[in-house]
PDB file of all heavy atoms in Angstrom:
ATOM      1  N   ALA A 181    -103.787  61.435 -68.409  1.00 90.00           N
ATOM      2  CA  ALA A 181    -104.839  62.235 -69.048  1.00 90.00           C
ATOM      3  C   ALA A 181    -104.492  63.712 -69.129  1.00 90.00           C
ATOM      4  O   ALA A 181    -105.084  64.455 -69.919  1.00 90.00           O
ATOM      5  CB  ALA A 181    -106.157  62.057 -68.293  1.00 90.00           C
ATOM      6  N   THR A 182    -103.515  64.160 -68.316  1.00 90.00           N
ATOM      7  CA  THR A 182    -103.127  65.574 -68.307  1.00 90.00           C
ATOM      8  C   THR A 182    -101.609  65.701 -68.303  1.00 90.00           C
ATOM      9  O   THR A 182    -100.889  64.779 -67.916  1.00 90.00           O
ATOM     10  CB  THR A 182    -103.694  66.289 -67.067  1.00 90.00           C
ATOM     11  OG1 THR A 182    -103.211  65.642 -65.885  1.00 90.00           O
ATOM     12  CG2 THR A 182    -105.218  66.262 -67.059  1.00 90.00           C
ATOM     13  N   ALA A 183    -101.150  66.871 -68.707  1.00 91.00           N
ATOM     14  CA  ALA A 183     -99.720  67.157 -68.700  1.00 91.00           C
ATOM     15  C   ALA A 183     -99.262  67.398 -67.259  1.00 91.00           C
ATOM     16  O   ALA A 183     -99.914  68.129 -66.510  1.00 91.00           O
ATOM     17  CB  ALA A 183     -99.417  68.377 -69.571  1.00 91.00           C
ATOM     18  N   SER A 184     -98.155  66.781 -66.879  1.00 89.00           N
ATOM     19  CA  SER A 184     -97.662  66.936 -65.510  1.00 89.00           C
ATOM     20  C   SER A 184     -96.250  66.361 -65.411  1.00 89.00           C
ATOM     21  O   SER A 184     -95.753  65.712 -66.334  1.00 89.00           O
ATOM     22  CB  SER A 184     -98.578  66.210 -64.513  1.00 89.00           C
ATOM     23  OG  SER A 184     -98.588  64.824 -64.789  1.00 89.00           O
ATOM     24  N   SER A 185     -95.644  66.609 -64.253  1.00 92.00           N
ATOM     25  CA  SER A 185     -94.358  65.996 -63.926  1.00 92.00           C
ATOM     26  C   SER A 185     -94.526  65.330 -62.568  1.00 92.00           C
ATOM     27  O   SER A 185     -94.764  66.006 -61.562  1.00 92.00           O
ATOM     28  CB  SER A 185     -93.250  67.046 -63.878  1.00 92.00           C
ATOM     29  OG  SER A 185     -92.014  66.446 -63.546  1.00 92.00           O
ATOM     30  N   THR A 186     -94.429  64.004 -62.527  1.00 91.00           N
ATOM     31  CA  THR A 186     -94.740  63.247 -61.314  1.00 91.00           C
ATOM     32  C   THR A 186     -93.590  62.307 -60.972  1.00 91.00           C
ATOM     33  O   THR A 186     -92.962  61.738 -61.859  1.00 91.00           O
ATOM     34  CB  THR A 186     -96.032  62.423 -61.498  1.00 91.00           C
ATOM     35  OG1 THR A 186     -97.064  63.274 -61.990  1.00 91.00           O
ATOM     36  CG2 THR A 186     -96.469  61.795 -60.182  1.00 91.00           C
ATOM     37  N   LYS A 187     -93.359  62.158 -59.671  1.00 93.00           N
ATOM     38  CA  LYS A 187     -92.353  61.198 -59.190  1.00 93.00           C
ATOM     39  C   LYS A 187     -93.062  59.955 -58.667  1.00 93.00           C
ATOM     40  O   LYS A 187     -94.020  60.046 -57.906  1.00 93.00           O
ATOM     41  CB  LYS A 187     -91.485  61.817 -58.098  1.00 93.00           C
ATOM     42  CG  LYS A 187     -90.602  62.953 -58.599  1.00 93.00           C
ATOM     43  CD  LYS A 187     -89.655  63.418 -57.515  1.00 93.00           C
ATOM     44  CE  LYS A 187     -88.769  64.555 -58.008  1.00 93.00           C
ATOM     45  NZ  LYS A 187     -87.902  64.139 -59.131  1.00 93.00           N
ATOM     46  N   PHE A 188     -92.585  58.788 -59.085  1.00 94.00           N
ATOM     47  CA  PHE A 188     -93.120  57.509 -58.640  1.00 94.00           C
ATOM     48  C   PHE A 188     -92.018  56.756 -57.894  1.00 94.00           C
ATOM     49  O   PHE A 188     -90.826  56.995 -58.102  1.00 94.00           O
ATOM     50  CB  PHE A 188     -93.605  56.677 -59.827  1.00 94.00           C
ATOM     51  CG  PHE A 188     -94.785  57.275 -60.542  1.00 94.00           C
ATOM     52  CD1 PHE A 188     -94.592  58.181 -61.583  1.00 94.00           C
ATOM     53  CD2 PHE A 188     -96.082  56.945 -60.190  1.00 94.00           C
ATOM     54  CE1 PHE A 188     -95.670  58.740 -62.256  1.00 94.00           C
ATOM     55  CE2 PHE A 188     -97.165  57.492 -60.854  1.00 94.00           C
ATOM     56  CZ  PHE A 188     -96.959  58.399 -61.885  1.00 94.00           C
ATOM     57  N   THR A 189     -92.443  55.840 -57.031  1.00 94.00           N
ATOM     58  CA  THR A 189     -91.495  55.039 -56.258  1.00 94.00           C
ATOM     59  C   THR A 189     -91.906  53.581 -56.297  1.00 94.00           C
ATOM     60  O   THR A 189     -93.080  53.248 -56.063  1.00 94.00           O
ATOM     61  CB  THR A 189     -91.441  55.495 -54.788  1.00 94.00           C
ATOM     62  OG1 THR A 189     -91.081  56.871 -54.741  1.00 94.00           O
ATOM     63  CG2 THR A 189     -90.420  54.670 -54.013  1.00 94.00           C
TER      64      THR A 189
END
Side-chain angles (χ1 to χ4, degrees):
T182 59
S184 62
S185 179
T186 309
K187 293 186 180 298
F188 294 89
T189 302

